[in-house]
Amino acid sequence: MRLRVDLVPQEGLSYADVVLVVDVIRATTTASAFLEAGARELYLTALRESARSFKDHDVVLAGEEGGLRPAGFDYGNSPREALEAAVGGKTVVMSTTNGTKAAHLAARTAKHVLLASLYNAHAAARLAHDLASEEVAVLCAGKEGRIGLDDTYTAGVLAEFLQIMGGYDLEDGALTALATRRTYPDPTEPLHLSAAAQALRQVGLEEDVTFCAQIAASPAVPLLEGRVGEALIFRRGQRNGSQSQIPTL
Amino acid sequence: MRLRVDLVPQEGLSYADVVLVVDVIRATTTASAFLEAGARELYLTALRESARSFKDHDVVLAGEEGGLRPAGFDYGNSPREALEAAVGGKTVVMSTTNGTKAAHLAARTAKHVLLASLYNAHAAARLAHDLASEEVAVLCAGKEGRIGLDDTYTAGVLAEFLQIMGGYDLEDGALTALATRRTYPDPTEPLHLSAAAQALRQVGLEEDVTFCAQIAASPAVPLLEGRVGEALIFRRGQRNGSQSQIPTL
């Protein structure tokens, strides 16, 4: 089995099998937190206007604009807030910047797309390992086309869990992510050093970074199960389940 | 002063000041070796046909195609061969894959472009530090659009030298490169693990990897000094010199 890590999304990347999309500060952490809070499903849309178009349905809108809740949205992109949100049995429409774009890039070609973070790292690695037949890829969202230390570090944690589970051939990106993981034993350090954390600090949301630095605290792994229009539909992935390839709704 | 590391070339990247282009296995190592061997200047061209068009001039052609010397070329892309080459006072026209492309990308916007490797790491970092007024960027060539462990590691070595020389603000890419450097005290390990080394092994050129793993053995730093047609002209950079911004010939 191959383990591949792409540290920054690029047009033209294509995936053969399973992709773990990582935007640890904060989209993929928040996605797990909404599932933990009981959300039935998540719609990921790259466009805020597209998110607003769901507003006449019985959905909850969550997202960010410069780190903050956009006008007309019910929630921001805070995992602390998501965990306490009244979303039991509901559809949450999420629109974030980097994480959503990376998920859409992965969904173009991958057989299975999962949203991974430190928060659900163990469960996400486990599910990816179960679903994969030839390759597990980690696609880091980065920040506006640049590599993120936070996402690279998270990819290293996922790579470490995957290595424990089975024999993986590691390519250069995976070795780099593992090196980053090994350099920082305490996850709060690389997360707080990252550009993503600096941006949150400027809008007073530094506590979210501390939340995002928890490793393997949640078993909730968002798994791509279909599409509705431009939005990707994620539901909670089950181990040993009968998840099939992505249907188009 | 800012220190920035881009681990993979991407369309749209732009540079404000000094760029160290790294393709350690092998283009930027070989470029230094040709200068060590006495070459007067290097022309870097992305196209082999464009290299061949110089053939009626009194030049030496060097380059690679699948790791090997292309038909009609005088030399391959081997630094061991370059160091022994009869190029005293001559122009060497180099055409390689990833390194040449990265140099052209940097040259679009940067004020100063240098070719860096482990082989010339100390001299390259020193010259970059002298030339920079606001930012030193390291642009890793990678391999066919993917991150290279060898180039990431080299960026970490350059970052380490730069940090010793002055106060740099490090962004996420630089922190990742430094983490990779710290994980591998012995440079031969990450270089031999890289995809670039694996490709050379398949064509029997593994000894080149060992050559490329020497740290700071050469003071020869190729510095962009102009263009002729599509080719970039590099000459040996001098410290405390009067290098100006890139003229267009």
Side-chain angles (χ1 to χ4, degrees):
Chain A
M1 198 94 88
R2 296 188 307 272
L3 174 56
R4 158 182 169 189
V5 175
D6 292 324
L7 295 177
V8 73
Q10 286 182 281
E11 281 305 311
L13 288 179
S14 80
Y15 295 97
D17 196 359
V18 176
V19 181
L20 290 156
V21 173
V22 172
D23 183 3
V24 66
I25 301 176
R26 302 172 285 171
T28 55
T29 305
T30 299
S32 286
F34 274 125
L35 291 183
E36 284 280 353
R40 191 169 65 88
E41 58 190 5
L42 308 170
Y43 288 5
L44 255 69
T45 166
L47 306 166
R48 270 187 296 275
E49 283 319 308
S50 165
R52 287 193 182 98
S53 72
F54 287 104
K55 193 53 194 166
D56 51 343
H57 300 69
D58 182 24
V59 301
V60 171
L61 296 194
E64 72 175 315
E65 194 166 1
L68 301 172
R69 180 166 62 88
F73 275 49
D74 303 294
Y75 295 99
N77 184 26
S78 165
R80 292 178 297 146
E81 190 184 53
L83 198 55
E84 306 298 326
V87 294
K90 293 203 171 177
T91 296
V92 178
V93 180
M94 286 183 72
S95 173
T96 67
T97 314
N98 302 295
T100 309
K101 275 186 203 149
H104 278 77
L105 174 60
R108 275 190 222 154
T109 51
K111 286 184 189 159
H112 306 282
V113 178
L114 292 69
L115 304 184
S117 57
L118 292 177
Y119 185 53
N120 74 355
H122 195 272
R126 186 79 247 178
L127 184 58
H129 183 73
D130 286 355
L131 290 170
S133 56
E134 49 176 312
E135 179 181 273
V136 176
V138 182
L139 172 59
C140 295
K143 194 165 162 56
E144 280 103 55
R146 308 285 306 277
I147 184 177
L149 183 67
D150 50 333
D151 291 338
T152 303
Y153 181 84
T154 303
V157 170
L158 291 164
E160 209 167 52
F161 284 146
L162 286 161
Q163 272 198 302
I164 293 165
M165 285 184 266
Y168 280 87
D169 293 325
L170 308 178
E171 46 67 81
D172 295 37
L175 291 165
T176 301
L178 278 167
T180 306
R181 159 62 170 158
R182 285 168 190 159
T183 300
Y184 298 105
D186 175 359
T188 59
E189 190 183 353
L191 262 61
H192 280 280
L193 282 170
S194 70
Q198 285 168 34
L200 283 184
R201 209 169 293 137
Q202 283 168 8
V203 292
L205 288 168
E206 192 162 8
E207 277 182 55
D208 275 354
V209 180
T210 306
F211 186 101
C212 293
Q214 300 172 78
I215 291 186
S218 167
V221 183
L223 174 68
L224 180 57
E225 298 223 326
R227 296 162 202 262
V228 49
E230 180 267 338
L232 302 175
I233 304 174
F234 286 83
R235 298 201 183 92
R236 190 165 174 154
Q238 306 294 332
R239 285 197 57 201
N240 308 317
S242 56
Q243 285 108 359
S244 55
Q245 297 192 10
I246 306 160
T248 302
L249 297 190
Chain B
M1 197 95 86
R2 297 188 306 272
L3 175 55
R4 157 183 171 190
V5 175
D6 291 323
L7 295 178
V8 74
Q10 286 181 281
E11 282 306 311
L13 288 178
S14 79
Y15 295 97
D17 196 359
V18 175
V19 181
L20 291 156
V21 174
V22 172
D23 183 4
V24 66
I25 301 177
R26 300 171 289 173
T28 55
T29 306
T30 300
S32 287
F34 273 127
L35 292 183
E36 284 279 352
R40 190 170 65 89
E41 59 191 5
L42 307 171
Y43 288 5
L44 255 69
T45 165
L47 306 166
R48 268 187 297 277
E49 283 319 308
S50 166
R52 287 194 183 97
S53 73
F54 286 105
K55 192 53 194 167
D56 52 341
H57 300 69
D58 182 25
V59 301
V60 171
L61 296 194
E64 72 175 314
E65 194 165 0
L68 301 173
R69 179 167 62 88
F73 275 50
D74 304 294
Y75 294 100
N77 184 26
S78 164
R80 291 178 298 146
E81 191 184 52
L83 198 56
E84 305 297 326
V87 295
K90 292 201 171 178
T91 296
V92 177
V93 180
M94 287 184 73
S95 174
T96 67
T97 315
N98 303 294
T100 309
K101 276 186 203 148
H104 278 77
L105 174 60
R108 276 189 222 154
T109 51
K111 286 185 189 158
H112 306 281
V113 179
L114 292 70
L115 304 184
S117 56
L118 292 176
Y119 185 54
N120 74 357
H122 194 272
R126 186 79 248 180
L127 184 57
H129 183 73
D130 286 354
L131 290 170
S133 56
E134 49 176 312
E135 178 180 273
V136 175
V138 182
L139 173 58
C140 296
K143 193 164 163 54
E144 280 102 55
R146 307 284 306 276
I147 183 177
L149 183 67
D150 50 334
D151 291 338
T152 303
Y153 181 84
T154 303
V157 170
L158 291 163
E160 210 168 52
F161 284 146
L162 286 161
Q163 272 197 302
I164 292 164
M165 284 184 268
Y168 281 87
D169 293 325
L170 308 179
E171 46 67 82
D172 295 35
L175 291 165
T176 300
L178 278 167
T180 305
R181 159 61 170 161
R182 284 168 192 158
T183 300
Y184 298 105
D186 175 357
T188 60
E189 191 183 354
L191 261 62
H192 280 279
L193 283 170
S194 69
Q198 285 168 33
L200 283 184
R201 209 170 293 137
Q202 283 169 7
V203 293
L205 288 168
E206 193 163 6
E207 278 182 53
D208 275 354
V209 180
T210 306
F211 186 101
C212 293
Q214 300 171 78
I215 291 187
S218 167
V221 183
L223 174 68
L224 181 56
E225 298 223 327
R227 297 164 202 260
V228 48
E230 179 266 339
L232 303 175
I233 304 173
F234 286 84
R235 297 200 184 93
R236 190 163 175 154
Q238 306 293 334
R239 286 197 54 202
N240 307 316
S242 54
Q243 285 108 357
S244 55
Q245 296 191 12
I246 305 161
T248 303
L249 296 190

